[in-house]
Amino acid sequence: MLKVALKPGGLLKNCNCRLLTSSVQKSRKKLVILGTGWASYALLTNVDKSKYDVIVVSPRNHFLFTPLLCSTTVGTLEFRSIIEPVRNTGFRQGDHFHLAFATGVDLEKQLVHCQSALKKELTYSLSYDALVIGVGALSNTFGVPGVTEHAFFLKEVADARRIRNQLLSNFELALQPDLAEEEKKRLLHTVIVGGGPTGVEFGAELYDFFEQDVSRLFGKDEQTKSRVTLVESNKILGSFDGRLQKYAEKKISQRDRFTLLKSSVTEVGADYVKLQDGEVLPCGLVVWSTGLSPRWFTQQLAVTKNERGQILTDAHLRVKDASPETVFAIGDCADIEEQPLPCTAQVAERQGRYLAQRLAIDNVQKRTSFEFKSSGMLAYIGGYEGLTDTPDLKVQGFPSWFLWRSAYLTQLGSWRLRMQVPLDWTKTILFGRDVSRF
C-alpha cells in the first residue's frame, strides 16, 4: 500500500489558490478592443487588467509609431524599428489577441462579429461587457479617378515598403541602357499630393536621400534628374503657426529639385498626374496624403455619425446610440459631438489613456469627461531642419530638428525601440541609407 505524506494544509492551500484564481477571472469584466492604433494601444497598455479581461481584435498584430514611418521609405530607419508586437503587452492568455477583422456589432446582444484575417471562411462572434472601437481611418481619395489604382498611400508599414521598392526600382531602371532621357526624368520624378505633416516629411526624407545618397549609389547624373513635386491646394502644414509655415515654404522653395505647386489633382494615371488647370506631370511615383475617410466597418455601423462619417460620442467617449458604459469609440474613427478635435496621434493617445483611467474608476460620480490640451506639433522639413510649434515655444531650423528626434525617441512604445532607432540613425550617418530592394 502506497502512503503519501501531506503537509498540513498543503492540498487545501493549492485548492484555495485555484478557487481564488477562478473567482478573480469570473469577477473581471470582458473588455474587447478593436484596433491596434494609437488610441487602442494606449488603452491596452494602461488599462487595469486586474479588473478587465482584455481581448484585442485587429488585422494588424503590432503597434506602429507613425511619426517615423516616412523615414522607413528611404532606408533611414528599418521597418521593425518602429513597430511593437501587441503580444508583448502582457496578455494573460494566448487567445486574447485575435488576428481578425471586426465585421459588425450586435449592440443588443453585446456581440462583435469577426472574420479571420488568415482564413476568410472562418467567422465567429465574441461577447463583451465593454467594447472600445478604435479602428482608425483610411486615406481619403475624394473620388479622384485613378488614385486607388495608381497612387501609393502612407498609413502602414506595408505602404512604406511598397513605396521604398517602387522608388528603388525607378532608380535601378533609370540606370539601364537604351532608355530615353525623358523616360529617365519621368522615373526619377516623385509627386506628393497633400501638404500636411505626412506629405511634407516624406518629401523631406526624399530630399535628404537625393542629397546624401543618390550620387554615391547611383551616380551624379541620376542625382541631377531626381526631383520632387509637392501639390497642395492650400497652405502646407496648415495646422502650424503662420510664421513656421512661411519658414517651411521658404526652405523648400530654395531647394533645386523640390517644387511646391498650389493646385489640385483631378486625375492620376500609371505614369502621370493631371492638375486642375490641365497640366500633366509625368512621374514614376505618386504618394497620396490628403485627409481621412471612414473604414467600411465604421460606415456600416448603425450609430450616429458626423458629416465626415466618424462615430459621434459624448464627452466621456461613449457612443451616442449604445448603452452607457458599454460601447466607446476613440481615435480617428470617432468624434466628440461637443468637442471636435483634429485626427492626430496625440489626440488618439490621450483618449486611450483617459479611457483606461475612467474604466478603472468604480464610482460613477468621480468619472470626469475627456479634456484635451495640445502639447504642440513637430515636423521635419529636411536638411537637418525642423519645426516646433507648442503653446510656449516656436522654434525652427536645426534646434527644432534635434528636438524632433529627441521627443520622438522618448515617445517610442518600448525600450527595445528606443535602443533600435538611435542605432539606425547612427548607421545612416556612418554608412548611408540601406537601399536593399526586397
Side-chain angles (χ1 to χ4, degrees), residues 168-188:
L168 294 174
S169 295
N170 290 346
F171 273 97
E172 295 293 351
L173 183 56
L175 284 172
Q176 295 183 356
D178 300 328
L179 202 66
E181 284 298 308
E182 287 303 311
E183 178 64 4
K184 287 184 179 180
K185 290 180 180 179
R186 181 193 70 80
L187 287 169
L188 301 181

PDB file of all heavy atoms in Angstrom, residues 168-188:
ATOM      1  N   LEU A 168      13.164  52.534 -55.425  1.00  0.00           N
ATOM      2  CA  LEU A 168      14.427  51.894 -55.791  1.00  0.00           C
ATOM      3  C   LEU A 168      14.356  51.265 -57.173  1.00  0.00           C
ATOM      4  O   LEU A 168      15.341  51.286 -57.927  1.00  0.00           O
ATOM      5  CB  LEU A 168      14.792  50.849 -54.741  1.00  0.00           C
ATOM      6  CG  LEU A 168      15.112  51.402 -53.346  1.00  0.00           C
ATOM      7  CD1 LEU A 168      15.326  50.274 -52.356  1.00  0.00           C
ATOM      8  CD2 LEU A 168      16.332  52.320 -53.390  1.00  0.00           C
ATOM      9  N   SER A 169      13.201  50.709 -57.519  1.00  0.00           N
ATOM     10  CA  SER A 169      13.020  50.153 -58.863  1.00  0.00           C
ATOM     11  C   SER A 169      13.189  51.233 -59.928  1.00  0.00           C
ATOM     12  O   SER A 169      13.797  51.005 -60.980  1.00  0.00           O
ATOM     13  CB  SER A 169      11.630  49.515 -58.994  1.00  0.00           C
ATOM     14  OG  SER A 169      11.499  48.409 -58.136  1.00  0.00           O
ATOM     15  N   ASN A 170      12.655  52.426 -59.653  1.00  0.00           N
ATOM     16  CA  ASN A 170      12.776  53.525 -60.603  1.00  0.00           C
ATOM     17  C   ASN A 170      14.232  53.926 -60.812  1.00  0.00           C
ATOM     18  O   ASN A 170      14.666  54.182 -61.942  1.00  0.00           O
ATOM     19  CB  ASN A 170      11.966  54.728 -60.117  1.00  0.00           C
ATOM     20  CG  ASN A 170      10.471  54.496 -60.186  1.00  0.00           C
ATOM     21  OD1 ASN A 170      10.005  53.554 -60.835  1.00  0.00           O
ATOM     22  ND2 ASN A 170       9.709  55.346 -59.521  1.00  0.00           N
ATOM     23  N   PHE A 171      15.003  53.976 -59.729  1.00  0.00           N
ATOM     24  CA  PHE A 171      16.415  54.334 -59.848  1.00  0.00           C
ATOM     25  C   PHE A 171      17.197  53.254 -60.592  1.00  0.00           C
ATOM     26  O   PHE A 171      18.054  53.566 -61.433  1.00  0.00           O
ATOM     27  CB  PHE A 171      17.019  54.577 -58.463  1.00  0.00           C
ATOM     28  CG  PHE A 171      16.851  55.989 -57.982  1.00  0.00           C
ATOM     29  CD1 PHE A 171      15.812  56.335 -57.128  1.00  0.00           C
ATOM     30  CD2 PHE A 171      17.732  56.980 -58.392  1.00  0.00           C
ATOM     31  CE1 PHE A 171      15.653  57.632 -56.695  1.00  0.00           C
ATOM     32  CE2 PHE A 171      17.581  58.294 -57.952  1.00  0.00           C
ATOM     33  CZ  PHE A 171      16.536  58.621 -57.106  1.00  0.00           C
ATOM     34  N   GLU A 172      16.919  52.001 -60.288  1.00  0.00           N
ATOM     35  CA  GLU A 172      17.628  50.911 -60.970  1.00  0.00           C
ATOM     36  C   GLU A 172      17.292  50.886 -62.458  1.00  0.00           C
ATOM     37  O   GLU A 172      18.176  50.691 -63.304  1.00  0.00           O
ATOM     38  CB  GLU A 172      17.270  49.569 -60.326  1.00  0.00           C
ATOM     39  CG  GLU A 172      17.720  49.404 -58.877  1.00  0.00           C
ATOM     40  CD  GLU A 172      19.232  49.340 -58.712  1.00  0.00           C
ATOM     41  OE1 GLU A 172      19.954  49.259 -59.731  1.00  0.00           O
ATOM     42  OE2 GLU A 172      19.701  49.368 -57.558  1.00  0.00           O
ATOM     43  N   LEU A 173      16.018  51.095 -62.782  1.00  0.00           N
ATOM     44  CA  LEU A 173      15.613  51.088 -64.190  1.00  0.00           C
ATOM     45  C   LEU A 173      16.224  52.262 -64.944  1.00  0.00           C
ATOM     46  O   LEU A 173      16.610  52.129 -66.119  1.00  0.00           O
ATOM     47  CB  LEU A 173      14.089  51.128 -64.291  1.00  0.00           C
ATOM     48  CG  LEU A 173      13.479  51.063 -65.704  1.00  0.00           C
ATOM     49  CD1 LEU A 173      13.969  49.820 -66.448  1.00  0.00           C
ATOM     50  CD2 LEU A 173      11.962  51.083 -65.619  1.00  0.00           C
ATOM     51  N   ALA A 174      16.332  53.406 -64.293  1.00  0.00           N
ATOM     52  CA  ALA A 174      16.901  54.592 -64.937  1.00  0.00           C
ATOM     53  C   ALA A 174      18.363  54.400 -65.316  1.00  0.00           C
ATOM     54  O   ALA A 174      18.884  55.105 -66.188  1.00  0.00           O
ATOM     55  CB  ALA A 174      16.755  55.795 -64.013  1.00  0.00           C
ATOM     56  N   LEU A 175      19.045  53.441 -64.694  1.00  0.00           N
ATOM     57  CA  LEU A 175      20.454  53.168 -64.990  1.00  0.00           C
ATOM     58  C   LEU A 175      20.644  52.183 -66.141  1.00  0.00           C
ATOM     59  O   LEU A 175      21.761  52.025 -66.636  1.00  0.00           O
ATOM     60  CB  LEU A 175      21.146  52.622 -63.731  1.00  0.00           C
ATOM     61  CG  LEU A 175      21.496  53.629 -62.638  1.00  0.00           C
ATOM     62  CD1 LEU A 175      21.986  52.904 -61.399  1.00  0.00           C
ATOM     63  CD2 LEU A 175      22.532  54.622 -63.121  1.00  0.00           C
ATOM     64  N   GLN A 176      19.580  51.523 -66.545  1.00  0.00           N
ATOM     65  CA  GLN A 176      19.710  50.505 -67.581  1.00  0.00           C
ATOM     66  C   GLN A 176      19.845  51.134 -68.966  1.00  0.00           C
ATOM     67  O   GLN A 176      19.298  52.217 -69.216  1.00  0.00           O
ATOM     68  CB  GLN A 176      18.533  49.535 -67.504  1.00  0.00           C
ATOM     69  CG  GLN A 176      18.547  48.740 -66.196  1.00  0.00           C
ATOM     70  CD  GLN A 176      17.451  47.713 -66.080  1.00  0.00           C
ATOM     71  OE1 GLN A 176      16.590  47.601 -66.941  1.00  0.00           O
ATOM     72  NE2 GLN A 176      17.480  46.941 -64.999  1.00  0.00           N
ATOM     73  N   PRO A 177      20.594  50.479 -69.871  1.00  0.00           N
ATOM     74  CA  PRO A 177      20.912  51.085 -71.172  1.00  0.00           C
ATOM     75  C   PRO A 177      19.694  51.232 -72.089  1.00  0.00           C
ATOM     76  O   PRO A 177      18.656  50.605 -71.876  1.00  0.00           O
ATOM     77  CB  PRO A 177      21.926  50.098 -71.767  1.00  0.00           C
ATOM     78  CG  PRO A 177      21.663  48.807 -71.084  1.00  0.00           C
ATOM     79  CD  PRO A 177      21.210  49.158 -69.705  1.00  0.00           C
ATOM     80  N   ASP A 178      19.882  52.095 -73.121  1.00  0.00           N
ATOM     81  CA  ASP A 178      18.882  52.307 -74.177  1.00  0.00           C
ATOM     82  C   ASP A 178      17.562  52.862 -73.654  1.00  0.00           C
ATOM     83  O   ASP A 178      16.496  52.593 -74.218  1.00  0.00           O
ATOM     84  CB  ASP A 178      18.629  51.005 -74.957  1.00  0.00           C
ATOM     85  CG  ASP A 178      19.883  50.475 -75.622  1.00  0.00           C
ATOM     86  OD1 ASP A 178      20.723  51.308 -76.022  1.00  0.00           O
ATOM     87  OD2 ASP A 178      20.032  49.254 -75.720  1.00  0.00           O
ATOM     88  N   LEU A 179      17.630  53.622 -72.556  1.00  0.00           N
ATOM     89  CA  LEU A 179      16.430  54.242 -72.020  1.00  0.00           C
ATOM     90  C   LEU A 179      16.464  55.730 -72.375  1.00  0.00           C
ATOM     91  O   LEU A 179      17.469  56.406 -72.166  1.00  0.00           O
ATOM     92  CB  LEU A 179      16.382  54.068 -70.498  1.00  0.00           C
ATOM     93  CG  LEU A 179      15.014  54.164 -69.825  1.00  0.00           C
ATOM     94  CD1 LEU A 179      14.120  53.000 -70.262  1.00  0.00           C
ATOM     95  CD2 LEU A 179      15.152  54.152 -68.306  1.00  0.00           C
ATOM     96  N   ALA A 180      15.368  56.215 -72.943  1.00  0.00           N
ATOM     97  CA  ALA A 180      15.308  57.613 -73.372  1.00  0.00           C
ATOM     98  C   ALA A 180      15.459  58.554 -72.181  1.00  0.00           C
ATOM     99  O   ALA A 180      15.057  58.238 -71.058  1.00  0.00           O
ATOM    100  CB  ALA A 180      13.981  57.882 -74.078  1.00  0.00           C
ATOM    101  N   GLU A 181      16.026  59.741 -72.437  1.00  0.00           N
ATOM    102  CA  GLU A 181      16.259  60.714 -71.382  1.00  0.00           C
ATOM    103  C   GLU A 181      14.950  61.162 -70.732  1.00  0.00           C
ATOM    104  O   GLU A 181      14.882  61.341 -69.517  1.00  0.00           O
ATOM    105  CB  GLU A 181      17.003  61.937 -71.939  1.00  0.00           C
ATOM    106  CG  GLU A 181      18.473  61.699 -72.192  1.00  0.00           C
ATOM    107  CD  GLU A 181      19.226  61.345 -70.920  1.00  0.00           C
ATOM    108  OE1 GLU A 181      19.112  62.091 -69.927  1.00  0.00           O
ATOM    109  OE2 GLU A 181      19.920  60.314 -70.908  1.00  0.00           O
ATOM    110  N   GLU A 182      13.918  61.351 -71.538  1.00  0.00           N
ATOM    111  CA  GLU A 182      12.631  61.772 -70.991  1.00  0.00           C
ATOM    112  C   GLU A 182      12.049  60.714 -70.058  1.00  0.00           C
ATOM    113  O   GLU A 182      11.407  61.022 -69.058  1.00  0.00           O
ATOM    114  CB  GLU A 182      11.651  62.081 -72.124  1.00  0.00           C
ATOM    115  CG  GLU A 182      11.938  63.369 -72.867  1.00  0.00           C
ATOM    116  CD  GLU A 182      11.957  64.574 -71.930  1.00  0.00           C
ATOM    117  OE1 GLU A 182      11.010  64.720 -71.127  1.00  0.00           O
ATOM    118  OE2 GLU A 182      12.917  65.356 -71.992  1.00  0.00           O
ATOM    119  N   GLU A 183      12.272  59.439 -70.414  1.00  0.00           N
ATOM    120  CA  GLU A 183      11.778  58.349 -69.569  1.00  0.00           C
ATOM    121  C   GLU A 183      12.554  58.302 -68.253  1.00  0.00           C
ATOM    122  O   GLU A 183      11.978  58.036 -67.190  1.00  0.00           O
ATOM    123  CB  GLU A 183      11.904  57.019 -70.309  1.00  0.00           C
ATOM    124  CG  GLU A 183      11.464  55.795 -69.520  1.00  0.00           C
ATOM    125  CD  GLU A 183       9.977  55.789 -69.164  1.00  0.00           C
ATOM    126  OE1 GLU A 183       9.251  56.702 -69.601  1.00  0.00           O
ATOM    127  OE2 GLU A 183       9.552  54.878 -68.438  1.00  0.00           O
ATOM    128  N   LYS A 184      13.857  58.586 -68.309  1.00  0.00           N
ATOM    129  CA  LYS A 184      14.647  58.633 -67.079  1.00  0.00           C
ATOM    130  C   LYS A 184      14.142  59.733 -66.152  1.00  0.00           C
ATOM    131  O   LYS A 184      13.994  59.538 -64.946  1.00  0.00           O
ATOM    132  CB  LYS A 184      16.125  58.866 -67.405  1.00  0.00           C
ATOM    133  CG  LYS A 184      16.843  57.675 -68.008  1.00  0.00           C
ATOM    134  CD  LYS A 184      18.316  57.981 -68.198  1.00  0.00           C
ATOM    135  CE  LYS A 184      19.053  56.788 -68.789  1.00  0.00           C
ATOM    136  NZ  LYS A 184      20.499  57.076 -68.977  1.00  0.00           N
ATOM    137  N   LYS A 185      13.856  60.905 -66.729  1.00  0.00           N
ATOM    138  CA  LYS A 185      13.354  62.022 -65.933  1.00  0.00           C
ATOM    139  C   LYS A 185      12.003  61.685 -65.299  1.00  0.00           C
ATOM    140  O   LYS A 185      11.733  62.056 -64.155  1.00  0.00           O
ATOM    141  CB  LYS A 185      13.230  63.264 -66.803  1.00  0.00           C
ATOM    142  CG  LYS A 185      14.567  63.862 -67.229  1.00  0.00           C
ATOM    143  CD  LYS A 185      14.358  65.101 -68.093  1.00  0.00           C
ATOM    144  CE  LYS A 185      15.694  65.696 -68.515  1.00  0.00           C
ATOM    145  NZ  LYS A 185      15.519  66.896 -69.376  1.00  0.00           N
ATOM    146  N   ARG A 186      11.173  60.992 -66.070  1.00  0.00           N
ATOM    147  CA  ARG A 186       9.867  60.601 -65.530  1.00  0.00           C
ATOM    148  C   ARG A 186      10.034  59.654 -64.356  1.00  0.00           C
ATOM    149  O   ARG A 186       9.401  59.823 -63.306  1.00  0.00           O
ATOM    150  CB  ARG A 186       9.011  59.948 -66.623  1.00  0.00           C
ATOM    151  CG  ARG A 186       7.620  59.539 -66.123  1.00  0.00           C
ATOM    152  CD  ARG A 186       6.896  58.628 -67.091  1.00  0.00           C
ATOM    153  NE  ARG A 186       7.489  57.300 -67.149  1.00  0.00           N
ATOM    154  CZ  ARG A 186       7.268  56.349 -66.246  1.00  0.00           C
ATOM    155  NH1 ARG A 186       6.502  56.578 -65.186  1.00  0.00           N
ATOM    156  NH2 ARG A 186       7.836  55.158 -66.383  1.00  0.00           N
ATOM    157  N   LEU A 187      10.871  58.639 -64.529  1.00  0.00           N
ATOM    158  CA  LEU A 187      11.077  57.648 -63.477  1.00  0.00           C
ATOM    159  C   LEU A 187      11.582  58.275 -62.183  1.00  0.00           C
ATOM    160  O   LEU A 187      11.205  57.851 -61.081  1.00  0.00           O
ATOM    161  CB  LEU A 187      12.069  56.582 -63.948  1.00  0.00           C
ATOM    162  CG  LEU A 187      11.565  55.567 -64.979  1.00  0.00           C
ATOM    163  CD1 LEU A 187      12.719  54.764 -65.535  1.00  0.00           C
ATOM    164  CD2 LEU A 187      10.531  54.652 -64.352  1.00  0.00           C
ATOM    165  N   LEU A 188      12.416  59.293 -62.304  1.00  0.00           N
ATOM    166  CA  LEU A 188      13.053  59.888 -61.130  1.00  0.00           C
ATOM    167  C   LEU A 188      12.278  61.092 -60.582  1.00  0.00           C
ATOM    168  O   LEU A 188      12.793  61.826 -59.738  1.00  0.00           O
ATOM    169  CB  LEU A 188      14.487  60.293 -61.470  1.00  0.00           C
ATOM    170  CG  LEU A 188      15.391  59.138 -61.943  1.00  0.00           C
ATOM    171  CD1 LEU A 188      16.797  59.633 -62.235  1.00  0.00           C
ATOM    172  CD2 LEU A 188      15.424  58.021 -60.929  1.00  0.00           C
TER     173      LEU A 188
END
